[in-house]
């Protein structure tokens, strides 16, 4: 390579077989122009700037498929994307259920796009929602305006911000999704079971943190999954199942895929780490929907990752302030946890603890936080891979058994993490967006304003 290029990044890279070897990513004008393997990969390369990560793993920038920047008014795109950058996340997919009102038409979407241009520190793609009562008719205009997909729920959370889409309305919603060749994300829980059990438990034992677990049994999740998948299959729609907490959902989704349906799913670090017993320790801090499950469920989810059946791991970042997580009656607290900054390091470290060979579970996790979500949401032509022509979005991940997650280092305005005190087994050393270093663990600083709006092409 005779031409002088912008930069090169060195680390342990995955080859085409998933084996990690020393190599370099060559970057020019924000894109990857070459990938070179070897002990001295820069021989003959004239680079203006070189980042040598040594033995650190050089990974594709993470793509977080499930981030709520505006469910808590004190967060916003700026804070959430600062946290993203510090966690190796170079692209977030932002949810449409904002505290100020849902993103349910093209005009609201365009206003939110303006916030991306003003505040984003990493790249941002936006989902819309198709509102109950005929909102599916807005799908065409929202896709044209730049929505990369949509999200609805089979469970009724809140009439203003996050209502239930009925089974009958889901028929039209899925048909609109298929007609626009886009993806529908579904929060899949059976509304009748959860509402009935919640009303009963609120009367009988409102102060016990385990009340939250009891009111949302595994069958409520599997029934929600079954409904969504059957309607998607009937209408030929692309369906993405959000935040799965039970191994049975993985098995059911695999059956539907084998039958020809276009189904993907995600799980989250909280479901891969904590169990329902941790609710007794952290209480409402760990109130998430669906709830935490048993140790057997956690093991089953990891079996799914090991077997390549979990294509996406997302954070479901919900940046609630602690006043929203401190009510002694567990069901009266907001559901969700901050997580975009810990999306990668928690499951990557656990994968290496499970299997020190990085070509196994570790590599499956890498794909689930990069290539999997990018492909699912129409960004796979430029994001999620280390390949020639792709955006030079990169992460240097360093295994480190001594590193401990703390509340103080979190960039989200929530100011806390349920993973505080955990030694995950590794940390993000540097985050690089389109060839520009935007975060370094050495300084702890995030570069401002580097993010761009991403849409389907």
């Amino acid at each position: 390579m005779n031409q002088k290029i912008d930069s090169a990044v060195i680390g342990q890279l995955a080859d085409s077989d998933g084996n990690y070897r020393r190599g370099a990513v060559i970057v020019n004008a924000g894109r990857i122009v070459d990938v070179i393997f070897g002990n001295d990969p820069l021989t003959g390369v004239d680079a203006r700037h070189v980042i040598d990560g040594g033995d650190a793993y050089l990974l594709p920038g993470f793509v977080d498929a499930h981030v709520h920047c505006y469910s808590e008014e004190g967060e916003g795109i700026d804070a959430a994307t600062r946290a993203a950058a510090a966690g190796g996340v170079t692209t977030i997919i932002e949810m449409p259920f904002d505290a100020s009102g849902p993103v349910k038409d093209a005009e609201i979407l365009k206003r939110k796009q303006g916030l991306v241009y003003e505040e984003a520190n990493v790249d941002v793609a936006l989902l819309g929602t198709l509102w109950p009562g005929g909102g599916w008719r807005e799908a065409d205009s929202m896709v044209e305006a730049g929505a990369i997909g949509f999200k609805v729920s089979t469970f009724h959370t809140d009439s203003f911000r996050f209502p239930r889409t009925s089974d009958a309305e889901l028929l039209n919603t899925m048909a609109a999704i298929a007609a626009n060749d886009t993806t529908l994300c579904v929060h899949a829980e059976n509304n009748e079971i959860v509402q009935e059990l919640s009303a009963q438990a609120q009367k009988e034992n409102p102060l016990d943190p385990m009340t939250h677990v009891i009111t949302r049994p595994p069958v409520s999740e599997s029934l929600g999954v079954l409904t969504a998948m059957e309607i998607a299959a009937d209408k030929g729609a692309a369906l993405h199942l959000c935040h799965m907490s039970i191994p049975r959902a993985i098995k059911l989704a695999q059956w539907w895929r084998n039958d020809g349906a276009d189904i993907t799913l995600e799980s989250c670090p909280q479901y891969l780490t904590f169990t329902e017993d941790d609710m007794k320790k952290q209480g409402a801090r760990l109130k998430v929907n669906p709830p935490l499950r048993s140790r057997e469920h956690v093991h089953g989810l990891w079996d799914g990752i090991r077997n390549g059946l979990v294509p996406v791991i997302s954070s479901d970042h919900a940046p609630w302030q602690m006043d929203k997580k401190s009510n002694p009656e567990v069901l009266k607290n907001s559901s969700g946890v901050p997580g975009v900054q810990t999306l990668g390091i928690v499951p990557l470290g656990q994968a290496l603890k499970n299997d020190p060979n990085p070509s196994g579970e570790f590599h499956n996790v890498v794909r689930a936080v990069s290539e999997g979500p990018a492909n699912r949401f129409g960004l796979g032509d430029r994001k999620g891979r280390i390949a020639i022509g792709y955006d030079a979005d990169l992460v240097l991940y360093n295994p480190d058994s001594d590193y401990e997650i703390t509340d103080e280092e979190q960039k989200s305005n929530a100011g806390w993490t349920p993973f505080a005190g955990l030694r995950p087994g590794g940390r993000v050393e540097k985050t690089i967006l389109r060839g520009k270093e935007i975060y370094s663990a050495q300084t702890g600083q995030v570069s401002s304003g580097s993010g761009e709006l991403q849409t389907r092409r």
Side-chain angles (χ1 to χ4, degrees), residues 264-280:
T264 55
L265 60 84
E266 67 186 42
S267 192
C268 307
Q270 49 268 35
Y271 299 119
L272 299 169
T273 304
F274 299 115
T275 73
E276 57 194 15
D277 290 337
D278 290 298
M279 285 290 292
K280 300 170 185 175

Side-chain angles (χ1 to χ4, degrees), residues 295-312:
R295 177 58 60 188
E296 288 71 25
H297 282 95
V298 174
H299 290 160
L301 292 176
W302 275 105
D303 284 341
I305 291 172
R306 191 172 301 114
N307 295 322
L309 299 177
V310 179
V312 178

Side-chain angles (χ1 to χ4, degrees), residues 350-425:
Q350 184 60 53
L352 287 175
K353 293 175 186 177
N354 294 343
D355 178 6
N357 182 355
S359 65
E361 260 177 75
F362 177 84
H363 192 57
N364 285 351
V365 171
V366 170
R367 295 183 65 183
V369 295
S370 56
E371 184 176 0
N375 288 345
R376 191 35 157 171
F377 291 97
L379 307 176
D381 60 344
R382 76 211 89 141
K383 301 291 186 183
R385 295 178 58 203
I386 295 178
I388 293 173
Y390 276 65
D391 289 351
D393 299 347
L394 305 167
V395 179
L396 280 168
Y397 169 81
N398 185 24
D400 181 353
S401 60
D402 293 329
Y403 168 66
E404 181 178 311
I405 298 172
T406 67
D407 287 336
E408 291 73 23
E409 67 185 347
Q410 302 306 302
K411 305 295 185 183
S412 165
N413 284 340
W416 66 279
T417 169
F419 298 102
L422 178 71
R423 296 181 187 271

Side-chain angles (χ1 to χ4, degrees), residues 420-441:
L422 178 71
R423 296 181 187 271
R427 65 184 301 163
V428 169
E429 292 294 338
K430 292 184 185 295
T431 305
I432 297 162
L433 178 65
R434 280 186 298 278
K436 176 185 176 183
E437 182 179 312
I438 62 169
Y439 170 76
S440 170

Side-chain angles (χ1 to χ4, degrees), residues 8-13 20-24 38-39 41 50-59 395-399 429-430:
V9 187
I10 300 172
Q12 299 296 317
L13 279 162
Y20 283 78
R21 300 187 284 135
R22 183 171 172 81
N39 291 330
V50 175
I51 298 174
D52 190 342
D55 291 333
Y57 292 107
L58 180 53
L59 309 175
V395 179
L396 280 168
Y397 169 81
N398 185 24
E429 292 294 338
K430 292 184 185 295

